Amino acid sequence: MNLRVLHIIDPEGAAGTCALRLLAESCDNLPGTEQEVLLLGPTPVEKQARDAGLSDFARIAPPLKNPALAVPGLRQFLRNNRPFHIIHSWSVPAYTLGALALGTRRRLLTLTMPPADVRSGHWLRMLMEYRPGNVLAVSNTVAAAVRRRGLKEGSVHVLRPGLKFSMLDHSLRSTLRDKWQVNDETRVVALLGEPAGSCDAWLAWRVFAALRVAGNDACFLVPPGARAVREARERARAMGWGHRFLVEEKVKTPWQVLPACDAALFAGDDRVPDDSPPPLLTWNSGTAAARMPGLMPVLWAMACRTPIVAEASYGISEILEHNHSAQLVRPGDIWGLVKALQSVTEDPQSSWEMRDTACSEAFSFFSRRRYCDDLAGVYEQLAEGLPVRVPDLPVTGGVRFASVR
């Protein structure tokens, strides 16, 4: 009998479209496993799932948008399906739902970003004690953040994600740039991060304004739902630059937008303590250091050969190296971001080596074949009741890819 796996994911919550794309990789490339996908959220999440490459799924709309209140809906779904051997959740809220609705099932939790705050982290620790399971973090940084919350050492593992590189369609460049009404001389910069609510549109506005004042004909794309996006758009319109500071839905699916971009901007600081108070929006100095968004969109920028400018957080420094595969600046240094973007957009030839290096590392260390083979091994270990062991990446990845305990 084939192994049956149920994936539970909330695309509008702690998981995003890149996490959906990663889920689609497992559904497409594990032929010996029967997999069902259950989306948590309103009707729009179905389009989000289709954009990520999923075609066969079910959906539950949790009351009050709280996945924990969807227990009756999940139990009804389970009654209509054959039993599942493994419940694979893709966020802490999704794991909560599975823990409340299901009994002694083998559980797995994939985290593409750390728990949102200290409360979520402690809640995950309590859940793991009540309904034990294994955590698959996409990076050492995420794994370390989870372990700091008190989870058992043997229950947290690092399984680096994989990308389907053929999703990048460079033939769309002209079509997209015509839609944005920009020519070949205009440098398009995409603000990346997942979920969209973790992106800082006000910081992007400040960088954009500095570039425009310096004479750089830049066009910025920010995702809908980014923090302070309305205020940033209003300020851009007031300055007469509204046509160059755009809210673009496709930023949520970076493989659809990056082929038409000249640079990718990633901002966030995971050095902020987990128990620190939430940042406040200050209109004269921008946004205080925010928690690090999920890093999956950065991997797509690497694969697309899009020059990357980012704040040198722990998570980013695990994937990228300054002047080797990206331009990194000290977190909170707005002018550092401006200068780095000027460098990669005004003299693209100078960034060619970095782009080529980033793309080579994406192809070497984030292939979907390696990811799916390792995930299949985890499923087999869980099904047989064995301790989970995830192979380390080859040591040729350098210190950035070494296991950290």
Side-chain angles (χ1 to χ4, degrees):
M1 183 177 65
N2 286 343
L3 190 66
R4 283 179 53 79
V5 178
L6 173 62
H7 298 276
I8 306 177
I9 185 167
D10 55 328
E12 285 196 337
T17 307
C18 287
L20 278 169
R21 181 59 238 169
L22 188 61
L23 189 161
E25 296 300 342
S26 68
C27 292
D28 294 341
N29 298 283
L30 298 181
T33 305
E34 295 182 24
Q35 302 180 74
E36 299 283 345
V37 177
L38 181 62
L39 304 177
L40 304 178
T43 303
V45 301
E46 296 184 6
K47 180 183 182 303
Q48 198 173 347
R50 294 189 185 94
D51 289 342
L54 288 169
S55 57
D56 188 12
F57 50 80
R59 181 180 63 85
I60 295 176
L64 304 178
K65 296 185 178 181
N66 185 345
L69 302 181
V71 172
L74 177 56
R75 288 177 175 164
Q76 180 63 43
F77 173 83
L78 295 172
R79 284 193 290 269
N80 296 335
N81 287 271
R82 292 187 291 118
F84 295 95
H85 302 98
I86 296 174
I87 307 300
H88 189 167
S89 305
W90 291 76
S91 67
V92 174
Y95 192 90
T96 300
L97 173 60
L100 294 175
L102 300 167
T104 55
R105 304 287 178 90
R106 294 179 174 89
R107 292 179 177 80
L108 196 62
L109 169 61
T110 289
L111 289 179
T112 57
M113 61 183 299
D117 49 38
V118 64
R119 185 176 301 174
S120 298
H122 286 312
W123 174 248
L124 176 59
R125 175 180 56 79
M126 292 177 7
L127 273 178
M128 286 291 179
E129 293 175 355
Y130 172 61
R131 299 292 194 201
N134 286 272
V135 176
L136 297 180
V138 299
S139 68
N140 289 321
T141 304
V142 175
V146 174
R147 292 190 184 105
R148 285 198 299 269
R149 299 277 61 86
L151 270 69
K152 297 179 180 178
E153 179 72 20
S155 66
V156 183
H157 318 274
V158 178
L159 177 54
R160 301 190 187 278
L163 308 179
K164 183 179 180 180
F165 302 110
S166 61
M167 298 286 289
L168 294 163
D169 187 357
H170 290 270
S171 67
L172 296 175
R173 180 177 176 88
S174 296
T175 302
L176 289 171
R177 293 177 76 91
D178 288 344
K179 171 189 172 184
W180 303 326
Q181 299 181 358
V182 298
N183 55 34
D184 290 338
E185 304 301 321
T186 301
R187 301 306 177 188
V188 179
V189 180
L191 175 65
L192 299 183
E194 189 176 68
S198 64
C199 296
D200 189 348
W202 188 254
L203 179 145
W205 152 252
R206 295 183 66 205
V207 175
F208 164 79
L211 286 171
R212 297 289 297 189
V213 170
N216 189 312
D217 185 23
C219 175
F220 269 48
L221 308 177
V222 298
R227 292 188 298 124
V229 65
R230 183 167 57 182
E231 293 89 342
R233 281 282 289 158
E234 289 176 353
R235 185 63 63 88
R237 290 194 186 102
M239 296 292 292
W241 297 331
H243 64 299
R244 288 291 187 263
F245 194 86
L246 307 176
V247 177
E248 173 57 66
E249 181 73 28
K250 288 184 181 295
V251 176
K252 293 182 178 180
T253 51
W255 55 88
Q256 293 183 337
V257 73
L258 285 171
C261 294
D262 301 291
L265 173 64
F266 192 90
D269 187 4
D270 55 9
R271 303 173 310 159
V272 179
D274 288 343
D275 53 356
S276 63
L280 298 177
L281 186 66
T282 54
W283 292 97
N284 58 348
S285 61
T287 306
R291 291 191 57 80
M292 174 58 65
L295 299 176
M296 286 288 294
V298 175
L299 304 184
W300 285 103
M302 294 170 65
C304 191
R305 282 190 170 90
T306 304
I308 301 169
V309 172
E311 293 181 318
S313 64
Y314 294 136
I316 279 290
S317 299
E318 181 182 342
I319 300 173
L320 301 169
E321 185 176 344
H322 181 53
N323 282 337
H324 177 71
S325 53
Q327 287 283 348
L328 305 184
V329 303
R330 180 174 56 85
D333 185 359
I334 297 294
W335 288 109
L337 292 175
V338 173
K339 292 177 182 177
L341 280 171
Q342 284 179 317
S343 173
V344 300
T345 58
E346 295 180 358
D347 187 11
Q349 190 63 34
S350 66
S351 64
W352 176 258
E353 187 174 346
M354 287 190 298
R355 287 181 282 160
D356 194 56
T357 300
C359 181
S360 176
E361 292 189 348
F363 274 72
S364 298
F365 303 111
F366 300 103
S367 73
R368 61 172 176 166
R369 175 176 296 180
R370 188 268 315 153
Y371 171 76
C372 291
D373 287 348
D374 290 350
L375 182 60
V378 170
Y379 285 162
E380 291 172 2
Q381 293 165 9
L382 286 176
E384 296 173 7
L386 300 174
V388 170
R389 296 287 185 270
V390 179
D392 289 332
L393 283 179
V395 294
T396 51
V399 296
R400 300 193 309 285
F401 300 106
S403 294
V404 177
R405 300 296 181 189

